[in-house]
Amino acid sequence: MNRGPDPKKRKVPLPHTAPSRQKLAAEYLQGKVPGVMQAYAPDAVADPELGWVESDETVHRLAHWREESAT
């Protein structure tokens, strides 16, 4: 089955995706930058049953950030 060109080697921007997001995705796939969850919740851990688990402090900090950004 042909899946098309390898996204890691793609140099031409996709027409439906912002170039900045494509650049970030490419850098993430190359291991150059952390994932989004690691950026917003650096102390979170992956749990096989619960998925991505953040600390209470991180949850409160993100909730406060969301409240401030809504005003």
Side-chain angles (χ1 to χ4, degrees):
M1 178 192 329
N2 185 2
R3 295 181 181 228
D6 184 359
K8 293 180 185 177
K9 296 179 182 176
R10 181 186 300 267
K11 297 295 180 191
V12 179
L14 297 172
H16 59 277
T17 307
S20 60
R21 290 185 183 221
Q22 292 178 53
K23 181 180 177 189
L24 182 61
E27 289 177 354
Y28 171 75
L29 290 172
Q30 294 172 5
K32 295 180 180 178
V33 295
V36 173
M37 287 301 296
Q38 290 176 330
Y40 290 111
D43 59 344
V45 293
D47 183 271
E49 293 179 16
L50 301 174
W52 201 253
V53 180
E54 299 91 1
S55 69
D56 289 341
E57 179 184 337
T58 298
V59 171
H60 291 296
R61 181 174 47 83
L62 290 173
H64 182 69
W65 175 76
R66 271 185 93 170
E67 289 172 2
E68 284 184 353
S69 66
T71 59

